[in-house]
Amino acid sequence: MQLIKLTLFAIPLFTAVSAGVVDISPSFEFKLKNDADAGKSAESRRGLLVEEGHLEKRACTKNGCKCKVGSVQGQYCGYCNQVTSKGSAALWGENSFECNSSGGCCFYGYTAHCDSSSWPTWCPR
């Protein structure tokens, strides 16, 4: 009897997970650890990029990033919960992404705001 109950519970759970119903987004802690493990330093690239106060227009490129379905259209820092995959970007935290409600994403690249302690103010911008 217990085996039947377990089977009846496991089948819908497995079906829901395999159908993508359960949304599992990488946590802030995971993203932070991933950036630390990458061993890359934003400091080395910062001098090559335009600081936020003098931003130039730049293209939002497709790099394979993904966002949470249902996100409000807008710019997000990589550590925001709405960004679920950074695509080919080296790091999560220092970069800015554009998300749409269908989970689509494009990549703006390094943003001084996202590389600072005030990044949560861009969740969403």
Side-chain angles (χ1 to χ4, degrees), residues 67-96:
C67 292
K68 185 183 282 188
V69 174
S71 297
V72 175
Q73 173 78 37
Q75 288 182 9
Y76 295 84
C77 290
Y79 286 146
C80 298
N81 290 333
Q82 291 83 353
V83 181
T84 59
S85 171
K86 63 182 175 63
S88 62
L91 300 174
W92 291 90
E94 66 182 28
N95 294 306
S96 175

Side-chain angles (χ1 to χ4, degrees), residues 26 31 34-35 61-67 78 83-92 95 97 105-107:
K31 293 175 180 181
N34 185 270
D35 280 0
T61 60
K62 300 285 185 188
N63 78 335
C65 60
K66 294 179 184 169
C67 292
V83 181
T84 59
S85 171
K86 63 182 175 63
S88 62
L91 300 174
W92 291 90
N95 294 306
F97 300 85
C105 178
C106 64
F107 174 68

